[in-house]
Amino acid sequence: MPAWTDQLRFAFQPVVNLSTGSIAALETLARPEPGAVDVLTSARRCPDLDAELAALAVRAAAHQETLLPLHINVFATTVAELPRLTSLGKAVHDIGRRPWEITLDLVGPFTHAPHAALLESVSVLRDEGYRICADGVGDGDLPLRLLGELAPDLVKLDAALCARLDTDRGRQAAVAAMRQLCERVGGLLAIEGVETERQYAAVRDAGVQLAQGHLFAPPARRPATEVYLPRAVRPAVSGPALPYRPPSGPPVTQFLQPAALLPMSASAGAVRSHLIGFPGVSGVLLVDTDGVPVRAIGRDRFLLSLSGRYGHALYADRPALRLADRPRTVGADATAWQVLDVIAEGGRDRTADEVAVVDERGRCIGVVHLADILRALAESRVEEAARLNPLTRLPGSDEVNGEVDRRIAEGRAFALSWLDVDGFKQVNDGAGFAAGDELIRAVGRTLAEVAAGVPASWVGHIGGDDFLVLTEPDGLEPFTAALLDVVWPVGGRPVTLSLATVVCPPGSVPGHRAAAAALAPLKKEAKALPGASWVVGRPGAARTEIRRGATAPGKPPAGPPEGPPAGPESTTQPLLP
């Protein structure tokens, strides 16, 4: 062993799951003794030394007798040059760990790492089972293009983004963008540097799922078994977007807990020793040589079997498989609702068992607990209800605006429409507020029913008689047929609706505010037409298309006006596909 290792110590800092309040993993941090050789600086220049440091970090964790997954820091240049990290792999094998219990935190600089070689090496490490984290994002030199190509299992934001996150809109936007990237690539979002309760509230509001910081627990020579969590803030959970859609719920990886894994050959006595040695473990998964769960053992039922008369004598030296059940598993891309479906299919005696979460190769990457899932889904329902209009049970504009921004970021064309009731004040004055409310409910129900059958469509109720509809450019005809081409009788008199649509090709608007601004004059033009009307336009275009509605009496027919146009120009040339 090199002499410099005598001057090197390791500290452990918990990675906290903000949904469950539990420790999800431990990051192992190298800490040279004061006055020692700067090993970390040398490791940046020497990949072999850096790989050896990673191996030492794994071995140091083995002395702590922890079941928690580990986060190990490795320079990106090291991974690009040493695709297999042989010394790390040997250390993982020697201490009885598995690669999928290890997350490699790729640390910059990325500028000097050959990107093609880095991506190839990451692919090799993933095949071996390691999970990949992009570390220090937001204050380093990791290009966005490379970040997207890496498609990391975890994006860890630098502590610099956590400071003033509660007041700085720029930082909030940056964190929101990273959350969207994680959703697209199937990863989780983490942040470092949570030092105060205000920062804790801000990162939860931003949708961050994992966090580190002195507020929870500082790095220490002995891993923390408990962390401090403020009680004032409820867990941040992403709920279903719209009430009429099949419930999706938060991703199951948001509630991931470490799994207790033993080989299939383990005896009942070995399982018993494991359960007694780790009181916090609620069950054990027996896995094959590839880490695929084969059988599951629930703590209470297993210990009860061994505690009975002759139980220990009968089972202690025999394979634990005899006392095990078939495991219940879900994929890493599953949602909380799908976990409930899996639990519901099992017997009542197993409702308290853990559900194993497996990767695309069937390897166990952790477990989820029923209590965490139920609490999160209940809270997501409460949050969802708070966002809904009490009259129609449709969400407000925030949901539609968020989806508009997502489509803009993805470079997708879309059609945003504004629907309202013609002469709604006269409806209330003539037929009464109760009749007006019933009309709004009926329009909201129709919108929801049509949207349920139109792919990629969203609807929202802004308030009063104003609604928003978001579709693909060619997805509006079902809405117009159900809303404009029918009679809406209220108080014995027909009522019509007006629809204004702005069709936004890729790159035509920078965000939802610009789309709404382009929609406003189209609404005014649609309202000026008698009867049911539908006006279509594009951002920045002078021409509009009247798809429903006739020109009002006394107005010139639709067409190019003489001289310079004073406003939008009407035309019969189709603007929709």
Side-chain angles (χ1 to χ4, degrees):
M1 188 71 68
W4 56 263
T5 60
D6 296 334
Q7 298 177 312
L8 189 66
R9 300 293 182 266
F10 289 91
F12 304 90
Q13 185 171 36
V15 180
V16 178
N17 185 318
L18 298 182
S19 295
T20 64
S22 60
I23 301 175
L26 290 174
E27 181 174 4
T28 306
L29 303 165
R31 291 288 188 264
E33 294 287 351
V37 177
D38 191 349
V39 178
L40 299 182
T41 300
S42 301
R44 178 178 296 185
R45 298 191 298 264
C46 179
D48 289 322
L49 176 58
D50 189 33
E52 184 62 33
L53 272 177
L56 286 173
V58 169
R59 296 183 189 278
H63 297 305
Q64 304 302 324
E65 298 182 350
T66 177
L67 296 176
L68 290 167
L70 303 175
H71 282 231
I72 305 297
N73 292 287
V74 184
F75 287 111
T77 48
T78 298
V79 173
E81 187 166 331
L82 304 175
R84 294 197 176 276
L85 296 178
T86 305
S87 55
L88 172 63
K90 184 177 186 305
V92 171
H93 178 270
D94 289 347
I95 68 172
R97 287 276 193 165
R98 300 165 179 83
W100 44 93
E101 297 178 82
I102 310 296
T103 296
L104 299 178
D105 287 10
L106 301 187
V107 181
F110 289 85
T111 303
H112 305 299
H115 291 180
L118 176 61
L119 292 171
E120 185 176 347
S121 295
V122 165
S123 178
V124 171
L125 292 168
R126 276 206 171 104
D127 286 342
E128 294 181 2
Y130 294 101
R131 304 184 75 219
I132 302 299
C133 166
D135 198 358
V137 174
D139 199 42
D141 63 343
L142 176 57
L144 283 177
R145 177 190 59 79
L146 179 59
L147 179 61
E149 291 176 346
L150 282 171
D153 303 286
L154 182 67
V155 171
K156 189 180 289 187
L157 301 178
D158 189 83
L161 280 177
C162 190
R164 301 197 307 276
L165 182 61
D166 57 326
T167 57
D168 191 318
R169 291 187 177 181
R171 298 184 191 209
Q172 292 168 2
V175 174
M178 287 300 104
R179 174 63 191 268
Q180 183 177 345
L181 183 143
C182 289
E183 290 175 353
R184 295 286 294 173
V185 302
L188 295 177
L189 184 62
I191 197 167
E192 298 176 310
V194 180
E195 312 295 336
T196 67
E197 295 191 9
R198 177 171 291 185
Q199 290 175 341
Y200 172 68
V203 299
R204 291 166 64 85
D205 289 343
V208 176
Q209 294 146 320
L210 301 171
Q212 294 174 259
H214 282 67
L215 177 69
F216 310 116
R221 294 289 176 86
R222 295 284 299 176
T225 56
E226 295 183 356
V227 293
Y228 170 74
L229 280 176
R231 297 178 178 269
V233 185
R234 292 181 291 111
V237 178
S238 301
L242 293 175
Y244 57 83
R245 294 182 183 277
S248 56
V252 69
T253 49
Q254 190 167 318
F255 310 99
L256 208 59
Q257 303 266 30
L261 307 178
L262 287 177
M264 284 172 33
S265 58
S267 67
V271 172
R272 179 179 180 275
S273 298
H274 201 76
L275 293 174
I276 293 175
F278 298 97
V281 172
S282 59
V284 170
L285 290 170
L286 303 179
V287 298
D288 64 15
T289 54
D290 293 324
V292 177
V294 177
R295 287 290 186 270
I297 296 176
R299 180 187 191 91
D300 293 341
R301 293 197 311 281
F302 177 83
L303 293 179
L304 183 63
S305 298
L306 261 67
S307 64
R309 191 175 186 183
Y310 309 121
H312 189 273
L314 286 173
Y315 297 114
D317 297 326
R318 297 188 179 185
L321 285 170
R322 298 191 177 191
L323 296 173
D325 299 299
R326 186 177 297 278
R328 296 185 294 186
T329 63
V330 295
D333 58 349
T335 67
W337 287 106
Q338 290 170 313
V339 173
L340 285 190
D341 291 339
V342 170
I343 292 174
E345 291 173 359
R348 291 189 175 184
D349 60 331
R350 298 192 62 192
T351 54
D353 286 5
E354 303 167 330
V355 175
V357 181
V358 298
D359 63 14
E360 68 278 359
R361 297 191 179 186
R363 300 174 298 205
C364 181
I365 61 174
V367 295
V368 291
H369 298 152
L370 176 61
D372 293 330
I373 297 295
L374 290 177
R375 186 187 70 247
L377 290 176
E379 288 167 346
S380 71
R381 285 307 193 195
V382 171
E383 292 179 358
E384 177 192 346
R387 296 194 301 265
L388 301 182
N389 186 286
L391 196 59
T392 60
R393 308 301 295 164
L394 292 177
S397 59
D398 288 347
E399 296 284 355
V400 178
N401 290 339
E403 180 62 18
V404 167
D405 288 336
R406 278 189 286 273
R407 296 189 189 193
I408 292 172
E410 294 166 7
R412 296 167 55 188
F414 61 90
L416 181 63
S417 300
W418 194 332
L419 175 78
D420 71 349
V421 178
D422 295 326
F424 185 61
K425 184 177 186 303
Q426 286 71 31
V427 172
N428 280 338
D429 291 344
F433 288 106
D437 286 350
E438 183 52 41
L439 172 62
I440 296 303
R441 290 190 192 97
V443 172
R445 283 194 299 269
T446 302
L447 281 170
E449 290 166 2
V450 176
V454 178
S457 64
W458 295 63
V459 297
H461 186 182
I462 304 174
D465 63 323
D466 291 313
F467 298 87
L468 285 179
V469 181
L470 175 64
T471 66
E472 301 291 338
D474 59 352
L476 276 165
E477 287 296 343
F479 288 95
T480 59
L483 294 157
L484 303 184
D485 299 343
V486 299
V487 177
W488 297 87
V490 179
R493 50 180 284 185
V495 174
T496 59
L497 307 180
S498 294
L499 183 69
T501 300
V502 59
V503 180
C504 299
S508 60
V509 289
H512 69 268
R513 289 183 176 84
L519 187 57
L522 299 174
K523 179 192 176 186
K524 184 177 180 180
E525 185 175 350
K527 296 292 288 183
L529 299 175
S533 60
W534 181 19
V535 174
V536 181
R538 290 176 182 256
R543 295 181 303 174
T544 59
E545 177 192 355
I546 299 175
R547 299 292 294 262
R548 298 283 196 284
T551 304
K555 287 189 65 176
E562 296 181 3
E569 179 184 338
S570 298
T571 181
T572 57
Q573 181 179 353
L575 294 172
L576 283 173

